[in-house]
Each structure stands twice: as C-alpha cells, then as structure tokens.
Amino acid sequence: MEAKNAGSLISEELFNCLSQNYAIHLPNHLRTLVFDKSLLLRTLKTSDQVTGIRFTYGLSDIKNIYSTKVLLVPCTSNVYYDQIPLVLNQHYLDHEGNQYSIERVAEMIYNFVIHSVEKENFSSYERINRGSFFGAHSLDLLLTESNCKYIQFNFGMDNKKILHPILNPLDCSYRTNSRLYLENSWPPRDSDPDEICLAKFAVDKFSNENELNRFRNFRDQELLTVKDGGMLYELYYFISPYIVNVLKEQSDGLEHLQNIYDKNIMPLYEEIMKGNLLKAVDHLKRAFKSLIDEYSVDQIESSAATT
C-alpha cells in the first residue's frame, strides 16, 4: 500500500466499539478533540514531500492529563511503516491551531510517554505509541466531504489496550451527517531505533561497534536521568530519520556525514567518555540546534531551488 492511502473507512458499529472501549479503560481521559479543516489542509501543503500527517500525542503539562494535545506532524513516506517526520524551522500545529517549536513538540511527546508508562502502565518507554499516520488520499475522503468544516479526532482502543484514533467530518454546527469514520492508520514503525539512528549511520562509516555501544548506553542509562534528557531523546528520534534520508539522497552526502561526525558526534563521545554528563547534554542541545537549522525542510528545499 502507498503511504498516501494509509487509513480506511470503518463501520459505525466498530467506531462505537473502539470509542466505548477507550472510555472504559481510560474514563478520566479526553475522548474527542476537534480540528478546523483548514489546519489539516495547511499541514498537507507544508511541502511537496508530504504524503500524510502523523497525529502525534503530547501533554503540555506532564501532571495534567487534560492538557492532552494532538499535534499535526507532516510526514514523507514511500512504503508501509516508513513515515519520516519533516524537520521544520516553522512551527507545528496542534488541534487548536497553536504553534510549537520542534523542541516543544519533543518535550510534549516525552510528557505523554512518561505519563503512559508511569500512570497508565502502558508497555515500555521505547514501545509507547506516540501517534498514528493517515495518508493524504485517505484524509481527502473526509476533507472533500460536502459540508465538512471540522475534523473530529476520536480516541479509540481495542481489547489489547492499543490506541486506535478515528477521524470523522463535522459540519459548521459540529454535527456529523455523513457517517464516515476513518481508521486503520499506521502507527510509527515498531522496530529497532538504531535502524533510523543518525549516530549509527555515521559510526558505521567512520568508527566501530565499541563507540556505538557507548552511545547506546548513554541513551538508555544516562540521558533520561537528567533535565531535558527526555526531550532530547524524543527530539533525536524525531529528526534523525529525515536527516539520514536527506544524506542518502545527496550526491555529496558522505562528505556531509563526515562533517556531522567530526563536529557533532565525536565531541559528544569525548564528553561521554570523560564522564561529563551535563557537558554532554549541553553539547547535544547545541548539536541539535545546528542540525535543525541546516536540515530543516525549508532550508533543504531552498538550497535545492538555487542549484
């Protein structure tokens, strides 16, 4: 299946079943949110690369489940279970039209994941579902529906406590008349994070497994224990796939990768080996800022237009 076709219509009966099951398992959580149609259209037009939207879960306040946000993250994808969030200098939108920096998005994702693990006993940290992807063509089924003014986002859950978001169109009076319910979205790829890891991509080219193992230990045992560590963890796996994808497509990608390794990865490794955890975290923040500035979609597309 092409990425743009991710998602399909389900029956009203299944919609009711998933919605009710969510309400039973999580009675104190928000059950629905509403997007203005224009927000989805705006996200789909972020870039020609966009093949769909990942509806990404976040908490603006880690202590308040009612601060739940669903963020619209434009993605590029070519094959099943291979959604790559676009790295933007411009802001990401939530269901209310608020705009957030990529760092704030990563922080809210972390808040959601920690709440899910510690309060709801969902899965392990790495396996928490951070959102679901709907393809552009499937979303068009709702967005082009006559009288569609809003899109309602419904939280659903199956008997295995797996989240199933369902979308349906609403008219200007917030009523649903079409009985169209879009589900069967793709969750983010459930695989080894190293497969989309920028550090692994670079270390495989320029160093050895011992260095990579030290990075893994830093990621799994140290990073999440310090202030802003969770945000940096989420930010890394948010931006890594797109940067790796860009480097693979560039004719001089190996040269750019060498530059990233020399300026960003090796200094981080040196601080880790010295046991300077806080300095390593500070370096990571600066490195991410530099990578976001250089590899954001608008920067890449602007550079391509001038060549």
Side-chain angles (χ1 to χ4, degrees), residues 15-32 154-158 163-164 166:
F15 162 70
N16 290 330
C17 179
L18 293 169
S19 300
Q20 291 167 9
N21 203 39
Y22 181 89
I24 291 171
H25 284 288
L26 298 171
N28 297 320
H29 286 226
L30 295 175
R31 300 178 191 177
T32 64
N154 308 275
F155 290 95
M157 180 178 287
D158 62 23
L163 292 175
H164 289 266
I166 308 108

PDB file of all heavy atoms in Angstrom, residues 15-32 154-158 163-164 166:
ATOM      1  N   PHE A  15     -16.614   1.782  15.115  1.00  0.00           N
ATOM      2  CA  PHE A  15     -16.285   3.072  15.723  1.00  0.00           C
ATOM      3  C   PHE A  15     -16.813   3.134  17.162  1.00  0.00           C
ATOM      4  O   PHE A  15     -16.095   3.513  18.087  1.00  0.00           O
ATOM      5  CB  PHE A  15     -16.872   4.204  14.890  1.00  0.00           C
ATOM      6  CG  PHE A  15     -16.969   5.514  15.623  1.00  0.00           C
ATOM      7  CD1 PHE A  15     -15.834   6.241  15.943  1.00  0.00           C
ATOM      8  CD2 PHE A  15     -18.209   6.019  16.006  1.00  0.00           C
ATOM      9  CE1 PHE A  15     -15.923   7.449  16.628  1.00  0.00           C
ATOM     10  CE2 PHE A  15     -18.310   7.220  16.693  1.00  0.00           C
ATOM     11  CZ  PHE A  15     -17.156   7.943  17.007  1.00  0.00           C
ATOM     12  N   ASN A  16     -18.064   2.781  17.352  1.00  0.00           N
ATOM     13  CA  ASN A  16     -18.665   2.816  18.690  1.00  0.00           C
ATOM     14  C   ASN A  16     -17.973   1.847  19.647  1.00  0.00           C
ATOM     15  O   ASN A  16     -17.757   2.163  20.826  1.00  0.00           O
ATOM     16  CB  ASN A  16     -20.153   2.486  18.610  1.00  0.00           C
ATOM     17  CG  ASN A  16     -20.964   3.593  17.957  1.00  0.00           C
ATOM     18  OD1 ASN A  16     -20.612   4.766  18.049  1.00  0.00           O
ATOM     19  ND2 ASN A  16     -22.042   3.233  17.282  1.00  0.00           N
ATOM     20  N   CYS A  17     -17.593   0.697  19.145  1.00  0.00           N
ATOM     21  CA  CYS A  17     -16.932  -0.308  19.966  1.00  0.00           C
ATOM     22  C   CYS A  17     -15.573   0.196  20.456  1.00  0.00           C
ATOM     23  O   CYS A  17     -15.254   0.089  21.648  1.00  0.00           O
ATOM     24  CB  CYS A  17     -16.769  -1.598  19.165  1.00  0.00           C
ATOM     25  SG  CYS A  17     -15.931  -2.924  20.061  1.00  0.00           S
ATOM     26  N   LEU A  18     -14.766   0.750  19.550  1.00  0.00           N
ATOM     27  CA  LEU A  18     -13.439   1.251  19.912  1.00  0.00           C
ATOM     28  C   LEU A  18     -13.541   2.447  20.861  1.00  0.00           C
ATOM     29  O   LEU A  18     -12.774   2.565  21.827  1.00  0.00           O
ATOM     30  CB  LEU A  18     -12.661   1.648  18.657  1.00  0.00           C
ATOM     31  CG  LEU A  18     -12.271   0.506  17.719  1.00  0.00           C
ATOM     32  CD1 LEU A  18     -11.738   1.053  16.398  1.00  0.00           C
ATOM     33  CD2 LEU A  18     -11.232  -0.403  18.378  1.00  0.00           C
ATOM     34  N   SER A  19     -14.497   3.334  20.589  1.00  0.00           N
ATOM     35  CA  SER A  19     -14.680   4.516  21.436  1.00  0.00           C
ATOM     36  C   SER A  19     -15.111   4.125  22.844  1.00  0.00           C
ATOM     37  O   SER A  19     -14.611   4.664  23.842  1.00  0.00           O
ATOM     38  CB  SER A  19     -15.717   5.450  20.814  1.00  0.00           C
ATOM     39  OG  SER A  19     -15.318   5.893  19.541  1.00  0.00           O
ATOM     40  N   GLN A  20     -16.054   3.201  22.935  1.00  0.00           N
ATOM     41  CA  GLN A  20     -16.547   2.768  24.241  1.00  0.00           C
ATOM     42  C   GLN A  20     -15.469   2.034  25.029  1.00  0.00           C
ATOM     43  O   GLN A  20     -15.367   2.175  26.253  1.00  0.00           O
ATOM     44  CB  GLN A  20     -17.784   1.893  24.060  1.00  0.00           C
ATOM     45  CG  GLN A  20     -19.003   2.661  23.558  1.00  0.00           C
ATOM     46  CD  GLN A  20     -20.123   1.760  23.082  1.00  0.00           C
ATOM     47  OE1 GLN A  20     -20.081   0.545  23.265  1.00  0.00           O
ATOM     48  NE2 GLN A  20     -21.140   2.347  22.450  1.00  0.00           N
ATOM     49  N   ASN A  21     -14.666   1.263  24.326  1.00  0.00           N
ATOM     50  CA  ASN A  21     -13.602   0.528  24.999  1.00  0.00           C
ATOM     51  C   ASN A  21     -12.572   1.495  25.587  1.00  0.00           C
ATOM     52  O   ASN A  21     -12.057   1.286  26.690  1.00  0.00           O
ATOM     53  CB  ASN A  21     -12.932  -0.430  24.020  1.00  0.00           C
ATOM     54  CG  ASN A  21     -12.245  -1.580  24.718  1.00  0.00           C
ATOM     55  OD1 ASN A  21     -12.766  -2.111  25.694  1.00  0.00           O
ATOM     56  ND2 ASN A  21     -11.078  -1.964  24.232  1.00  0.00           N
ATOM     57  N   TYR A  22     -12.279   2.557  24.866  1.00  0.00           N
ATOM     58  CA  TYR A  22     -11.363   3.589  25.372  1.00  0.00           C
ATOM     59  C   TYR A  22     -11.938   4.230  26.629  1.00  0.00           C
ATOM     60  O   TYR A  22     -11.227   4.430  27.621  1.00  0.00           O
ATOM     61  CB  TYR A  22     -11.139   4.647  24.287  1.00  0.00           C
ATOM     62  CG  TYR A  22     -10.197   5.754  24.691  1.00  0.00           C
ATOM     63  CD1 TYR A  22      -8.827   5.642  24.484  1.00  0.00           C
ATOM     64  CD2 TYR A  22     -10.679   6.920  25.295  1.00  0.00           C
ATOM     65  CE1 TYR A  22      -7.960   6.661  24.859  1.00  0.00           C
ATOM     66  CE2 TYR A  22      -9.825   7.935  25.670  1.00  0.00           C
ATOM     67  CZ  TYR A  22      -8.463   7.809  25.449  1.00  0.00           C
ATOM     68  OH  TYR A  22      -7.612   8.819  25.831  1.00  0.00           O
ATOM     69  N   ALA A  23     -13.222   4.552  26.591  1.00  0.00           N
ATOM     70  CA  ALA A  23     -13.872   5.192  27.738  1.00  0.00           C
ATOM     71  C   ALA A  23     -13.858   4.284  28.966  1.00  0.00           C
ATOM     72  O   ALA A  23     -13.723   4.758  30.103  1.00  0.00           O
ATOM     73  CB  ALA A  23     -15.306   5.565  27.378  1.00  0.00           C
ATOM     74  N   ILE A  24     -13.956   2.991  28.759  1.00  0.00           N
ATOM     75  CA  ILE A  24     -13.939   2.039  29.869  1.00  0.00           C
ATOM     76  C   ILE A  24     -12.545   1.956  30.495  1.00  0.00           C
ATOM     77  O   ILE A  24     -12.388   1.985  31.716  1.00  0.00           O
ATOM     78  CB  ILE A  24     -14.397   0.649  29.386  1.00  0.00           C
ATOM     79  CG1 ILE A  24     -15.887   0.682  29.045  1.00  0.00           C
ATOM     80  CG2 ILE A  24     -14.110  -0.418  30.452  1.00  0.00           C
ATOM     81  CD1 ILE A  24     -16.374  -0.572  28.349  1.00  0.00           C
ATOM     82  N   HIS A  25     -11.525   1.857  29.638  1.00  0.00           N
ATOM     83  CA  HIS A  25     -10.160   1.693  30.132  1.00  0.00           C
ATOM     84  C   HIS A  25      -9.569   2.991  30.685  1.00  0.00           C
ATOM     85  O   HIS A  25      -8.784   2.970  31.635  1.00  0.00           O
ATOM     86  CB  HIS A  25      -9.258   1.161  29.019  1.00  0.00           C
ATOM     87  CG  HIS A  25      -9.435  -0.300  28.738  1.00  0.00           C
ATOM     88  ND1 HIS A  25      -9.006  -1.285  29.598  1.00  0.00           N
ATOM     89  CD2 HIS A  25      -9.999  -0.936  27.679  1.00  0.00           C
ATOM     90  CE1 HIS A  25      -9.296  -2.468  29.099  1.00  0.00           C
ATOM     91  NE2 HIS A  25      -9.900  -2.290  27.939  1.00  0.00           N
ATOM     92  N   LEU A  26      -9.950   4.127  30.084  1.00  0.00           N
ATOM     93  CA  LEU A  26      -9.380   5.419  30.494  1.00  0.00           C
ATOM     94  C   LEU A  26     -10.516   6.415  30.738  1.00  0.00           C
ATOM     95  O   LEU A  26     -10.689   7.386  29.993  1.00  0.00           O
ATOM     96  CB  LEU A  26      -8.425   5.944  29.413  1.00  0.00           C
ATOM     97  CG  LEU A  26      -7.202   5.053  29.129  1.00  0.00           C
ATOM     98  CD1 LEU A  26      -6.453   5.557  27.909  1.00  0.00           C
ATOM     99  CD2 LEU A  26      -6.278   4.989  30.329  1.00  0.00           C
ATOM    100  N   PRO A  27     -11.304   6.205  31.770  1.00  0.00           N
ATOM    101  CA  PRO A  27     -12.510   7.009  31.988  1.00  0.00           C
ATOM    102  C   PRO A  27     -12.245   8.482  32.275  1.00  0.00           C
ATOM    103  O   PRO A  27     -13.129   9.313  32.073  1.00  0.00           O
ATOM    104  CB  PRO A  27     -13.171   6.319  33.191  1.00  0.00           C
ATOM    105  CG  PRO A  27     -12.050   5.622  33.892  1.00  0.00           C
ATOM    106  CD  PRO A  27     -11.120   5.170  32.812  1.00  0.00           C
ATOM    107  N   ASN A  28     -11.037   8.815  32.747  1.00  0.00           N
ATOM    108  CA  ASN A  28     -10.747  10.204  33.099  1.00  0.00           C
ATOM    109  C   ASN A  28     -10.009  10.960  32.007  1.00  0.00           C
ATOM    110  O   ASN A  28      -9.584  12.107  32.223  1.00  0.00           O
ATOM    111  CB  ASN A  28      -9.924  10.236  34.398  1.00  0.00           C
ATOM    112  CG  ASN A  28     -10.688   9.664  35.578  1.00  0.00           C
ATOM    113  OD1 ASN A  28     -11.889   9.903  35.721  1.00  0.00           O
ATOM    114  ND2 ASN A  28     -10.014   8.886  36.417  1.00  0.00           N
ATOM    115  N   HIS A  29      -9.845  10.355  30.853  1.00  0.00           N
ATOM    116  CA  HIS A  29      -9.113  10.987  29.761  1.00  0.00           C
ATOM    117  C   HIS A  29     -10.066  11.685  28.799  1.00  0.00           C
ATOM    118  O   HIS A  29     -11.250  11.361  28.703  1.00  0.00           O
ATOM    119  CB  HIS A  29      -8.300   9.948  28.989  1.00  0.00           C
ATOM    120  CG  HIS A  29      -7.093   9.465  29.723  1.00  0.00           C
ATOM    121  ND1 HIS A  29      -5.864   9.352  29.125  1.00  0.00           N
ATOM    122  CD2 HIS A  29      -6.915   9.077  31.010  1.00  0.00           C
ATOM    123  CE1 HIS A  29      -4.987   8.905  30.004  1.00  0.00           C
ATOM    124  NE2 HIS A  29      -5.607   8.722  31.153  1.00  0.00           N
ATOM    125  N   LEU A  30      -9.507  12.651  28.050  1.00  0.00           N
ATOM    126  CA  LEU A  30     -10.269  13.251  26.957  1.00  0.00           C
ATOM    127  C   LEU A  30     -10.591  12.187  25.918  1.00  0.00           C
ATOM    128  O   LEU A  30      -9.762  11.324  25.627  1.00  0.00           O
ATOM    129  CB  LEU A  30      -9.458  14.373  26.311  1.00  0.00           C
ATOM    130  CG  LEU A  30      -9.150  15.595  27.183  1.00  0.00           C
ATOM    131  CD1 LEU A  30      -8.237  16.556  26.424  1.00  0.00           C
ATOM    132  CD2 LEU A  30     -10.435  16.303  27.574  1.00  0.00           C
ATOM    133  N   ARG A  31     -11.795  12.260  25.363  1.00  0.00           N
ATOM    134  CA  ARG A  31     -12.217  11.234  24.401  1.00  0.00           C
ATOM    135  C   ARG A  31     -12.253  11.751  22.961  1.00  0.00           C
ATOM    136  O   ARG A  31     -12.131  10.966  22.030  1.00  0.00           O
ATOM    137  CB  ARG A  31     -13.585  10.690  24.792  1.00  0.00           C
ATOM    138  CG  ARG A  31     -13.595  10.064  26.180  1.00  0.00           C
ATOM    139  CD  ARG A  31     -14.978   9.572  26.573  1.00  0.00           C
ATOM    140  NE  ARG A  31     -15.030   9.215  27.981  1.00  0.00           N
ATOM    141  CZ  ARG A  31     -16.108   8.811  28.609  1.00  0.00           C
ATOM    142  NH1 ARG A  31     -17.258   8.699  27.941  1.00  0.00           N
ATOM    143  NH2 ARG A  31     -16.074   8.520  29.900  1.00  0.00           N
ATOM    144  N   THR A  32     -12.466  13.038  22.798  1.00  0.00           N
ATOM    145  CA  THR A  32     -12.512  13.616  21.453  1.00  0.00           C
ATOM    146  C   THR A  32     -11.855  14.988  21.448  1.00  0.00           C
ATOM    147  O   THR A  32     -11.856  15.694  22.464  1.00  0.00           O
ATOM    148  CB  THR A  32     -13.958  13.766  20.926  1.00  0.00           C
ATOM    149  OG1 THR A  32     -14.667  14.698  21.752  1.00  0.00           O
ATOM    150  CG2 THR A  32     -14.680  12.435  20.907  1.00  0.00           C
ATOM    151  N   ASN A 154     -11.228  11.135  17.421  1.00  0.00           N
ATOM    152  CA  ASN A 154     -11.785  10.309  18.487  1.00  0.00           C
ATOM    153  C   ASN A 154     -10.742   9.303  18.966  1.00  0.00           C
ATOM    154  O   ASN A 154     -10.116   8.610  18.158  1.00  0.00           O
ATOM    155  CB  ASN A 154     -13.001   9.533  17.976  1.00  0.00           C
ATOM    156  CG  ASN A 154     -14.023  10.429  17.316  1.00  0.00           C
ATOM    157  OD1 ASN A 154     -14.867  11.015  17.975  1.00  0.00           O
ATOM    158  ND2 ASN A 154     -13.944  10.548  15.983  1.00  0.00           N
ATOM    159  N   PHE A 155     -10.556   9.219  20.268  1.00  0.00           N
ATOM    160  CA  PHE A 155      -9.658   8.219  20.823  1.00  0.00           C
ATOM    161  C   PHE A 155     -10.397   6.898  20.936  1.00  0.00           C
ATOM    162  O   PHE A 155     -11.474   6.819  21.531  1.00  0.00           O
ATOM    163  CB  PHE A 155      -9.164   8.645  22.207  1.00  0.00           C
ATOM    164  CG  PHE A 155      -8.207   9.802  22.189  1.00  0.00           C
ATOM    165  CD1 PHE A 155      -8.666  11.101  22.385  1.00  0.00           C
ATOM    166  CD2 PHE A 155      -6.855   9.593  21.970  1.00  0.00           C
ATOM    167  CE1 PHE A 155      -7.796  12.168  22.369  1.00  0.00           C
ATOM    168  CE2 PHE A 155      -5.971  10.657  21.957  1.00  0.00           C
ATOM    169  CZ  PHE A 155      -6.436  11.956  22.155  1.00  0.00           C
ATOM    170  N   GLY A 156      -9.820   5.866  20.355  1.00  0.00           N
ATOM    171  CA  GLY A 156     -10.373   4.523  20.464  1.00  0.00           C
ATOM    172  C   GLY A 156      -9.327   3.565  21.006  1.00  0.00           C
ATOM    173  O   GLY A 156      -8.131   3.872  21.032  1.00  0.00           O
ATOM    174  N   MET A 157      -9.763   2.415  21.433  1.00  0.00           N
ATOM    175  CA  MET A 157      -8.839   1.412  21.990  1.00  0.00           C
ATOM    176  C   MET A 157      -9.424   0.024  21.786  1.00  0.00           C
ATOM    177  O   MET A 157     -10.627  -0.176  21.923  1.00  0.00           O
ATOM    178  CB  MET A 157      -8.618   1.684  23.478  1.00  0.00           C
ATOM    179  CG  MET A 157      -7.673   0.715  24.167  1.00  0.00           C
ATOM    180  SD  MET A 157      -7.424   1.134  25.909  1.00  0.00           S
ATOM    181  CE  MET A 157      -6.391   2.598  25.759  1.00  0.00           C
ATOM    182  N   ASP A 158      -8.538  -0.915  21.440  1.00  0.00           N
ATOM    183  CA  ASP A 158      -9.013  -2.287  21.303  1.00  0.00           C
ATOM    184  C   ASP A 158      -8.818  -3.042  22.629  1.00  0.00           C
ATOM    185  O   ASP A 158      -8.393  -2.455  23.630  1.00  0.00           O
ATOM    186  CB  ASP A 158      -8.324  -3.004  20.138  1.00  0.00           C
ATOM    187  CG  ASP A 158      -6.816  -3.132  20.327  1.00  0.00           C
ATOM    188  OD1 ASP A 158      -6.342  -3.075  21.482  1.00  0.00           O
ATOM    189  OD2 ASP A 158      -6.110  -3.281  19.316  1.00  0.00           O
ATOM    190  N   LEU A 163      -4.063   1.926  21.152  1.00  0.00           N
ATOM    191  CA  LEU A 163      -4.835   3.088  20.743  1.00  0.00           C
ATOM    192  C   LEU A 163      -5.198   3.020  19.266  1.00  0.00           C
ATOM    193  O   LEU A 163      -4.367   2.656  18.428  1.00  0.00           O
ATOM    194  CB  LEU A 163      -4.054   4.377  21.017  1.00  0.00           C
ATOM    195  CG  LEU A 163      -3.834   4.748  22.481  1.00  0.00           C
ATOM    196  CD1 LEU A 163      -2.941   5.981  22.583  1.00  0.00           C
ATOM    197  CD2 LEU A 163      -5.169   5.021  23.166  1.00  0.00           C
ATOM    198  N   HIS A 164      -6.440   3.387  18.956  1.00  0.00           N
ATOM    199  CA  HIS A 164      -6.917   3.454  17.582  1.00  0.00           C
ATOM    200  C   HIS A 164      -7.631   4.796  17.382  1.00  0.00           C
ATOM    201  O   HIS A 164      -8.805   4.929  17.762  1.00  0.00           O
ATOM    202  CB  HIS A 164      -7.894   2.312  17.291  1.00  0.00           C
ATOM    203  CG  HIS A 164      -7.268   0.969  17.222  1.00  0.00           C
ATOM    204  ND1 HIS A 164      -6.856   0.405  16.043  1.00  0.00           N
ATOM    205  CD2 HIS A 164      -6.959   0.082  18.206  1.00  0.00           C
ATOM    206  CE1 HIS A 164      -6.326  -0.789  16.291  1.00  0.00           C
ATOM    207  NE2 HIS A 164      -6.376  -0.998  17.595  1.00  0.00           N
ATOM    208  N   ILE A 166      -9.771   7.542  15.485  1.00  0.00           N
ATOM    209  CA  ILE A 166     -10.777   7.529  14.417  1.00  0.00           C
ATOM    210  C   ILE A 166     -11.134   8.966  14.084  1.00  0.00           C
ATOM    211  O   ILE A 166     -11.371   9.777  14.984  1.00  0.00           O
ATOM    212  CB  ILE A 166     -12.056   6.766  14.831  1.00  0.00           C
ATOM    213  CG1 ILE A 166     -11.716   5.365  15.352  1.00  0.00           C
ATOM    214  CG2 ILE A 166     -13.013   6.652  13.644  1.00  0.00           C
ATOM    215  CD1 ILE A 166     -11.884   5.218  16.834  1.00  0.00           C
TER     216      ILE A 166
END
